[in-house]
Amino acid sequence: MYSEAKERYAAIGVDTEKALETLKNTPISIHCWQGDDVVGFDSKEALSGGIQTTGNYPGKARTPEELMNDIDEVLKLTPGKKKINLHACYAIFKDGEFADRDAIQPRHFEAWVKFANERGLGIDFNPTFFSHPMVKDGLTLSSPDEKVRKFWVEHGKRCIEISEYFAKETGKPCVMNIWIPDGYKDWPADRLGPRRRYMESIDEIISVPYDKTKVFVTLESKVFGIGLEAYTVGSAEFCSNYVNTRHITPLMDNGHYHPTEMVSDKISSMLLFNEHLALHITRPMRWDSDHVVLFDDETREMFKEIVRADALSKMFLATDYFDASINRISAWVTGLRSVQKALLYALLEPASFKSLQDNSNFTELMVRQEELKTMPFGDVWEEYLKRENVAVDYYSEIKNYEDTVLKERK
Ligand code: RNT
Ligand code: ZN
């Protein structure tokens, strides 16, 4: 079936072998927080910051060991090259030791480095500016309270040091993403002050010397959160201007815009003005709901834009969703496979479409685009899974893991 598909794609000028090669070498950073509903190991605080997991499916990981075992199950069922994306709240403390967010050290992540190195994975990192008692009135780096602001600046600095440690120990670059939940529920009386303080806080964080060829600091924007409907400090314009003037990397989460705005339409503009572009790939439903990524129109369109721009090497691709209403491992794997499917789909688009547009041949462009949708894409995808030694039917494997492992977690 694959050789037939290969011929049919070749007939429209597409090299499936080249596509498969590119696909398997494009790293996707797996967010660790799908495994335990964004809880982490460093505090008993409920998830805060205007984000929420919903659902109560049994079997959530409660310890570092359980989370690592679950990630192994995900790795086994996911093709391609991967990194692991950690949050600071996943620090692992040994022998009753504890360090607060402004005091965490590389050694609190030793177990993760060991885990990553044994599996040949790179590590990406995120300071955790939420779910913590020092978040005062919903504010962190933009707080008017100097004590609060300083605490979080120190957290950011600690995280740069830990990111460098990851890059050094794994021999692979580390992407460190800054996202803060700060904002207001209702119309603010001052929009400039919080944004100025946020700007100054990030300036302080990135003023610590670090190797800019190994650690890539990214900044994630957002339009609103639950309880932060009126205003968020780190808006799209704030982040875009900040990254351009400080020469760091923008991060676009496709759940962080108004529902009619599409990240697929924004990628080209960002690529023209930035050396790198980071994505948090998610699926917003009516709001920033972080549903599991599916093989849907917008995910495909985002990847088409990246591939058409020949920009894969400029991208830092990461997943970001959290569903607690279904088997968490299945949620993880489905989302990761969807991302890779969308990338493969984009890699199988003929380059000739561009010239149809440039020659104003919109009739043929529409016809060819529609024809492409029913090409034997599934056969190429299954060939990829086969070559990567990954089961096509992952449900049975996950069901078995649920019955034998997850069921025991009471
Ligand atoms: C929240 C942001 C952020 C978080 C993670 C946990 O709206 O998308 O990326 O999802 O940092
Ligand atoms: Zn995100």
Side-chain angles (χ1 to χ4, degrees):
M1 285 210 288
Y2 170 67
S3 51
E4 212 170 284
K6 185 176 163 181
E7 273 172 37
R8 284 193 56 195
Y9 277 102
I12 57 167
V14 174
D15 182 347
T16 53
E17 286 300 317
K18 202 173 142 223
L20 291 175
E21 196 56 29
T22 306
L23 178 62
K24 81 164 195 225
N25 289 315
T26 304
I28 310 289
S29 194
I30 304 178
H31 62 308
C32 76
W33 51 92
Q34 161 59 38
D36 73 338
D37 310 341
V38 210
V39 175
F41 309 126
D42 76 339
S43 95
K44 296 273 160 297
E45 292 259 322
L47 178 60
S48 70
I51 53 178
Q52 192 144 52
T53 43
T54 55
N56 198 17
Y57 201 85
K60 125 167 121 193
R62 301 157 303 179
T63 61
E65 295 69 38
E66 289 181 354
L67 188 63
M68 287 177 188
N69 289 341
D70 291 358
I71 294 173
D72 269 335
E73 191 62 17
V74 172
L75 293 173
K76 190 163 104 189
L77 296 169
T78 309
K81 204 165 156 185
K82 301 129 197 161
K83 293 179 90 179
I84 178 93
N85 201 3
L86 300 175
H87 243 287
C89 60
Y90 291 82
I92 298 172
F93 301 113
K94 279 179 267 176
D95 314 318
E97 189 204 358
F98 175 73
D100 210 346
R101 299 256 174 100
D102 63 342
I104 44 169
Q105 303 278 338
R107 65 191 160 85
H108 302 126
F109 294 87
E110 256 168 28
W112 283 114
V113 166
K114 186 165 175 279
F115 178 85
N117 280 344
E118 281 167 3
R119 289 151 185 82
L121 307 168
I123 305 180
D124 293 326
F125 199 47
N126 304 259
T128 311
F129 297 103
F130 52 83
S131 307
H132 190 279
M134 276 304 269
V135 180
K136 291 280 196 278
D137 302 314
L139 305 176
T140 63
L141 291 177
S142 76
S143 174
D145 180 338
E146 255 321 88
K147 235 181 85 211
V148 171
R149 202 183 66 81
K150 283 278 180 234
F151 176 89
W152 291 109
V153 166
E154 193 49 40
H155 177 56
K157 290 180 174 176
R158 303 276 90 252
C159 287
I160 294 221
E161 189 192 329
I162 294 163
S163 298
E164 259 203 317
Y165 159 76
F166 286 148
K168 196 169 139 257
E169 294 297 318
T170 62
K172 299 184 172 82
C174 174
V175 176
M176 191 196 97
N177 178 50
I178 296 176
W179 169 73
I180 58 162
D182 301 29
Y184 292 104
K185 182 184 173 76
D186 227 321
W187 304 123
D190 175 19
R191 288 182 169 88
L192 185 65
R195 288 190 173 131
R196 177 175 289 125
R197 287 190 291 271
Y198 187 26
M199 176 180 77
E200 290 167 356
S201 297
I202 316 171
D203 282 348
E204 283 178 53
I205 292 172
I206 63 174
S207 74
V208 303
Y210 67 95
D211 185 343
K212 298 187 173 62
T213 65
K214 296 204 173 79
V215 173
F216 292 89
V217 175
T218 64
L219 185 64
E220 178 177 11
S221 69
K222 189 163 181 173
V223 67
F224 88 106
I226 309 172
L228 310 159
E229 287 83 0
Y231 166 90
T232 53
V233 181
S235 62
E237 293 74 15
F238 175 92
C239 291
S240 207
N241 284 295
Y242 188 89
V243 300
N244 284 149
T245 49
R246 270 62 169 185
H247 310 291
I248 61 166
T249 300
L251 186 146
M252 305 184 105
D253 177 311
N254 61 301
H256 288 190
Y257 299 86
H258 284 100
T260 57
E261 278 186 277
M262 295 294 156
V263 163
S264 55
D265 185 58
K266 301 175 187 296
I267 288 172
S268 48
S269 303
M270 299 308 278
L271 287 173
L272 284 174
F273 300 100
N274 291 281
E275 208 176 312
H276 296 281
L277 174 61
L279 291 184
H280 268 183
I281 306 162
T282 185
R283 179 166 54 108
M285 193 175 297
R286 309 191 196 285
W287 67 288
D288 181 31
S289 59
D290 288 292
H291 279 60
V292 175
V293 175
L294 301 179
F295 181 54
D296 58 14
D297 284 345
E298 173 59 3
T299 313
R300 283 197 288 267
E301 200 62 23
M302 290 196 305
F303 279 100
K304 283 194 224 166
E305 282 299 307
I306 298 165
V307 170
R308 289 162 176 169
D310 194 19
L312 271 173
S313 61
K314 294 176 127 198
M315 304 299 300
F316 300 131
L317 301 167
T319 47
D320 182 14
Y321 45 82
F322 19 97
D323 195 332
S325 74
I326 56 176
N327 180 304
R328 290 172 187 79
I329 318 260
S330 186
W332 239 330
V333 175
T334 300
L336 286 161
R337 285 190 181 210
S338 300
V339 166
Q340 296 211 18
K341 273 188 198 161
L343 172 55
L344 177 60
Y345 194 84
L347 289 165
L348 297 177
E349 182 178 270
S352 57
F353 285 7
K354 276 187 196 170
S355 52
L356 290 176
Q357 174 176 313
D358 289 344
N359 294 318
S360 302
N361 197 344
F362 302 119
T363 307
E364 186 176 351
L365 180 57
M366 182 190 279
V367 172
R368 301 289 174 229
Q369 280 182 323
E370 285 305 291
E371 282 173 351
L372 190 63
K373 290 180 182 167
T374 49
M375 288 283 285
F377 168 78
D379 295 337
V380 185
W381 171 251
E382 287 192 14
E383 175 70 13
Y384 175 58
L385 296 180
K386 205 174 92 196
R387 291 185 190 182
E388 287 286 292
N389 253 317
V390 159
V392 176
D393 168 24
Y394 57 102
Y395 180 73
S396 332
E397 168 62 30
I398 285 171
K399 185 77 183 62
N400 179 44
Y401 188 77
E402 175 168 316
D403 292 342
T404 54
V405 180
L406 301 182
K407 262 217 182 104
E408 304 304 314
R409 299 180 188 167
K410 293 274 151 50

